[in-house]
C-alpha cells in the first residue's frame, strides 16, 4: 500500500477501491450524474436468473436432499445480494451524502493534533477491505477446485454449484460449457459485489471511531481550559457549543446508518446463520468440500457485522465516560446544564440490532457459534 501523508488521502484511496468494485456491478454512485445503467441492468438480470434457476433446480434435485440444502444456501446468498443491490440503488443519494460527509470530515481535521489516530483508523479499514477481498476470492476459487480435480482424475464433469439453467442440457458439451460460464460469472459477481457492500458498511461504521476520537479530544481540551488559572469564559462557552454540535452530528450519523441498514442487518445475519448451519451439516454428512471455504466467508461476514455493532456500543459508551469525566463543576450554570443534557443524550444512544430483535455484538456472535456448533 502506498504511504499517504493525510487521512483524507487514504480515505480517498479506500473510496476509490470500493468504487472500482461497485463500478463492475454498475453501482458506482459517486460517478457524476449517476443513473440506471446497462451494467447494473445486466447484473440484476443475472441475479434474478440465478434465483429462478435455483427454483428450477429444486424441481430437478427434488429427490436429493443434500443438493436441496446446497440450493438453500445459495438462495440465502441470492436473497442477501438482492437486498443489498436494492438498498444501494434506492438510497444512492444517501450513500453519496455519507461519502462526502466523511471526506469533508477528514479534510477538515487534516492538521488536527489527533490526526495520526485518524490515519491509523483509515489504514486499518484499508487492510480489512483487502482481507475480505482475499477471503471472498479464495472462497470463489475453492468452488472450481473440486470440479477440476474430478475432471483430471476421473474425466467426470461436475458443476461449480448445483444451479441448472432451464432448457440447458448439462450432459451435452455445449450445455455444460454454457452452464459453467454462467456459474463462473455469478461467482465472480458475488465475490465483487459482496466485497463492495461489506466494505461500505465497514467504512461507515469504523469512521465512527474517528468522529468519537476527535470528540473526546475536544472534551479533553475543554477540561484543560477549565483548569487554567484564569479561564477564558467566552472561549469556554464557544468550545461547549462546538462540542454540542459535534455530539449532535454523531447522533445524526448513527441514526442515518441505523435507518438505512435496519433491514440489511437482519437479512445478512439471517442468511449467514442459515448458511453456516447448513454448510456445517453438509461438510459433516456429504463431504461438501467447497463448504470449508464458504464457512470462512460466512463466519467472516457474521463476525464483521457483530464487531461493527460492538464498535458502535463501545464508542458510545466512551462518549458517555468522556462527558462525565469533564470538569463540568468548574463551568458556569448554563454550561453545566448543557453538559447535563449531553450526558442524558449519550446514555440513550443508537444501537445496531438484528431487525430490532437482538443487539448485534460479540456476545451475539458467540451465541450464534454455540447454537450452530
Amino acid at each position: 500500500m502506498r504511504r499517504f501523508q493525510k487521512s483524507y488521502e487514504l480515505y480517498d484511496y479506500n473510496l476509490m477501491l470500493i468504487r472500482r468494485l461497485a463500478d463492475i456491478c454498475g453501482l458506482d454512485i459517486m460517478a457524476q450524474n449517476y443513473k440506471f445503467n446497462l451494467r447494473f441492468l445486466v447484473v440484476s438480470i443475472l441475479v434474478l436468473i440465478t434465483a429462478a434457476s435455483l427454483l428450477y433446480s429444486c424441481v430437478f434435485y427434488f429427490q436429493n436432499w443434500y443438493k436441496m440444502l446446497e440450493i438453500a444456501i445459495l438462495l440465502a446468498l441470492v436473497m442477501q445480494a438482492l437486498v443489498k443491490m436494492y438498498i444501494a440503488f434506492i438510497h444512492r443519494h444517501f450513500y453519496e451524502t455519507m461519502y462526502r460527509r466523511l471526506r469533508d470530515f477528514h479534510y477538515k481535521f487534516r492538521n488536527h493534533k489527533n490526526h495520526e489516530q485518524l490515519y491509523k483508523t483509515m489504514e486499518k479499514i484499508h487492510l480489512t477491505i483487502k482481507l475480505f477481498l482475499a477471503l471472498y476470492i479464495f472462497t470463489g476459487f475453492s468452488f472450481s477446485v473440486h470440479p477440476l480435480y474430478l475432471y483430471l482424475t476421473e474425466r467426470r464433469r461436475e458443476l461449480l454449484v448445483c444451479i441448472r439453467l432451464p432448457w440447458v442440457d448439462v450432459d451435452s458439451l455445449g450445455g455444460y460449457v454454457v452452464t459453467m460460464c454462467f456459474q463462473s460469472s455469478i461467482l465472480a459477481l458475488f465475490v465483487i459485489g459482496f466485497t463492495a457492500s461489506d466494505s461500505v458498511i465497514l467504512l461507515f461504521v469504523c469512521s465512527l471511531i474517528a468522529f468519537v476520537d476527535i470528540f473526546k479530544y475536544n472534551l479533553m481540551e475543554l477540561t484543560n481550559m477549565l483548569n487554567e488559572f484564569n479561564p477564558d469564559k467566552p472561549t469556554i462557552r464557544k468550545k461547549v457549543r462546538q462540542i454540542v454540535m459535534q455530539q449532535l452530528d454523531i447522533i445524526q450519523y448513527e441514526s442515518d446508518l441505523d435507518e438505512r441498514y435496519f433491514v440489511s442487518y437482519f437479512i445478512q445475519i439471517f442468511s449467514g446463520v442459515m448458511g453456516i448451519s447448513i454448510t456445517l451439516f453438509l461438510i459433516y454428512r456429504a463431504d461438501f468440500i467447497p463448504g470449508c471455504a464458504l464457512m470462512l466467508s460466512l463466519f467472516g461476514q457474521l463476525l464483521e457485522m457483530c464487531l461493527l455493532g460492538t464498535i458502535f456500543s463501545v464508542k458510545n459508551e466512551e462518549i458517555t465516560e468522556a462527558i462525565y469525566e469533564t470538569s463540568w463543576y468548574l463551568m458556569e450554570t448554563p454550561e453545566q446544564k448543557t453538559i447535563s443534557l449531553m450526558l442524558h443524550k449519550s446514555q440513550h444512544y443508537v444501537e445496531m440490532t438484528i431487525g430490532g430483535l437482538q443487539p448485534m455484538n460479540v456476545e451475539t456472535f458467540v451465541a450464534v457459534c454455540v447454537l450452530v456448533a
Side-chain angles (χ1 to χ4, degrees):
M1 184 183 69
R2 289 188 297 164
R3 180 70 185 176
F4 298 95
Q5 298 298 320
K6 301 294 182 180
S7 66
Y8 76 87
E9 295 174 336
L10 186 50
Y11 171 79
D12 288 340
Y13 187 65
N14 286 336
L15 182 58
M16 186 57 65
L17 176 59
I18 295 173
R19 286 186 61 183
R20 286 173 180 169
L21 294 170
D23 188 48
I24 297 174
C25 301
L27 272 171
D28 180 15
I29 59 177
M30 289 297 290
Q32 190 173 10
N33 299 321
Y34 173 82
K35 56 184 177 181
F36 189 86
N37 55 69
L38 181 60
R39 280 196 301 277
F40 183 62
L41 176 62
V42 171
V43 170
S44 301
I45 291 174
L46 285 174
V47 175
L48 290 173
I49 290 174
T50 303
S53 299
L54 285 169
L55 296 177
Y56 169 79
S57 302
C58 287
V59 177
F60 189 86
Y61 291 114
F62 184 71
Q63 298 299 324
N64 189 333
W65 284 102
Y66 292 140
K67 291 293 184 183
M68 292 288 284
L69 289 175
E70 285 185 43
I71 291 171
I73 298 173
L74 296 173
L75 278 172
L77 295 176
V78 169
M79 176 178 63
Q80 188 181 138
L82 286 171
V83 169
K84 288 180 175 180
M85 289 171 62
Y86 174 78
I87 290 176
F89 184 75
I90 292 298
H91 299 300
R92 57 190 181 278
H93 299 302
F94 161 78
Y95 286 103
E96 184 178 359
T97 301
M98 291 290 281
Y99 290 144
R100 297 191 189 283
R101 179 193 292 182
L102 290 175
R103 212 277 180 178
D104 291 343
F105 169 80
H106 283 281
Y107 188 77
K108 177 181 178 181
F109 294 101
R110 65 191 181 279
N111 296 318
H112 195 270
K113 296 176 182 177
N114 202 37
H115 178 267
E116 186 64 26
Q117 194 64 36
L118 301 183
Y119 186 91
K120 288 180 180 178
T121 300
M122 287 296 103
E123 199 171 40
K124 291 174 183 177
I125 291 173
H126 179 78
L127 292 174
T128 308
I129 290 173
K130 286 194 170 181
L131 175 63
F132 270 95
L133 178 59
L135 178 61
Y136 289 148
I137 290 175
F138 172 71
T139 301
F141 179 75
S142 69
F143 278 91
S144 64
V145 173
H146 191 227
L148 181 63
Y149 172 78
L150 289 177
Y151 182 77
L152 293 176
T153 56
E154 303 177 16
R155 295 298 175 185
R156 178 157 61 94
R157 296 172 186 166
E158 187 73 22
L159 297 175
L160 298 178
V161 290
C162 54
I163 299 177
R164 291 200 173 229
L165 293 169
W167 308 296
V168 177
D169 182 13
V170 295
D171 294 327
S172 66
L173 179 60
Y176 179 75
V177 171
V178 169
T179 304
M180 287 292 280
C181 288
F182 174 78
Q183 292 184 358
S184 299
S185 63
I186 287 298
L187 284 176
L189 285 174
F190 271 52
V191 168
I192 295 167
F194 276 29
T195 303
S197 62
D198 290 350
S199 298
V200 169
I201 182 62
L202 179 73
L203 180 65
F204 285 168
V205 175
C206 287
S207 291
L208 180 65
I209 298 174
F211 279 103
V212 175
D213 286 345
I214 293 293
F215 179 80
K216 288 165 58 181
Y217 191 90
N218 285 337
L219 281 172
M220 185 175 65
E221 285 186 334
L222 175 63
T223 297
N224 293 334
M225 292 167 62
L226 290 166
N227 287 304
E228 291 177 355
F229 178 72
N230 188 21
D232 186 351
K233 294 180 181 180
T235 304
I236 289 174
R237 282 196 294 270
K238 183 179 178 181
K239 191 69 174 178
V240 170
R241 285 196 296 269
Q242 178 190 351
I243 292 172
V244 169
M245 294 306 298
Q246 276 188 298
Q247 187 189 26
L248 291 176
D249 286 341
I250 292 173
I251 293 172
Q252 185 61 51
Y253 185 83
E254 293 177 338
S255 299
D256 288 344
L257 283 180
D258 183 63
E259 183 181 347
R260 294 299 183 274
Y261 278 100
F262 184 80
V263 176
S264 183
Y265 294 152
F266 178 77
I267 296 297
Q268 186 153 337
I269 297 297
F270 172 78
S271 60
V273 173
M274 175 180 170
I276 289 170
S277 303
I278 297 175
T279 303
L280 273 174
F281 177 79
L282 290 175
I283 291 172
Y284 177 70
R285 295 300 300 270
D287 296 326
F288 184 41
I289 296 175
C292 299
L294 182 60
M295 279 289 297
L296 288 176
S297 289
L298 292 173
F299 265 114
Q301 261 196 347
L302 185 62
L303 179 60
E304 178 201 17
M305 298 303 294
C306 291
L307 282 176
L308 292 179
T310 302
I311 288 173
F312 236 64
S313 300
V314 169
K315 300 314 286 186
N316 279 302
E317 289 172 1
E318 286 183 7
I319 290 174
T320 303
E321 292 175 5
I323 295 172
Y324 183 77
E325 291 172 359
T326 305
S327 300
W328 51 268
Y329 46 84
L330 299 176
M331 298 180 186
E332 298 292 323
T333 303
E335 282 71 42
Q336 288 185 3
K337 290 181 179 179
T338 301
I339 295 297
S340 177
L341 287 172
M342 289 176 60
L343 186 60
H344 175 75
K345 279 186 172 294
S346 69
Q347 292 171 332
H348 298 81
Y349 56 82
V350 177
E351 189 175 35
M352 291 175 68
T353 62
I354 306 172
L357 303 175
Q358 179 75 18
M360 195 158 60
N361 49 36
V362 174
E363 287 82 0
T364 301
F365 176 77
V366 173
V368 169
C369 292
V370 172
L371 180 65
V372 300

